[in-house]
Amino acid sequence: MRVQDIIEGKKEWRAHLQRVKALPQDYQIVYNEIQKYLFKVGPVELTDGTALLSGIIDLFEEGAVLRKGVLEVTGSDVAAFCDDLIKDSKTHADVYQESVDQEVNKAMKKVTDKTK
């Protein structure tokens, strides 16, 4: 990664945080919980920039302009809202599971080859 990429990433993140701070307080609270949830669940695309999180802010900004409460936008089950957002995304758990499967398959192949 180049230094320029790191600087651009930091600028992008700061601009992102400014958008969050401009949201009404109820939206900020729910956004922060969504962000924590997504960082724990670990969709791989979160490490590729702020596209997913920015999309949530876009949705929240639109809801705020329409004077909707944040739970009118997300529904009362915020975790289910998050799960729906990432249902087709690869997660770090998926990547780990794949690596475990590959390692087991390699080890089993070695054992099988030795017994032949």
Side-chain angles (χ1 to χ4, degrees), residues 17 50 76:
L17 292 178
T50 60
S76 60

Coordinates of all heavy atoms in Angstrom, one line a residue, residues 17 50 76:
L17 N -17.0 10.3 8.7 CA -17.4 10.6 10.1 C -18.1 11.9 10.2 O -19.0 12.0 11.0 CB -16.1 10.6 11.0 CG -15.5 9.2 11.2 CD1 -14.2 9.3 12.0 CD2 -16.4 8.2 11.8
T50 N -15.2 2.6 2.3 CA -16.4 2.9 3.1 C -17.7 2.7 2.3 O -18.7 3.3 2.7 CB -16.3 4.3 3.6 OG1 -16.2 5.2 2.5 CG2 -15.1 4.5 4.5
S76 N -37.4 -2.4 13.6 CA -37.0 -2.5 15.0 C -35.9 -3.5 15.2 O -35.2 -3.4 16.3 CB -38.2 -2.8 15.8 OG -38.8 -4.1 15.4

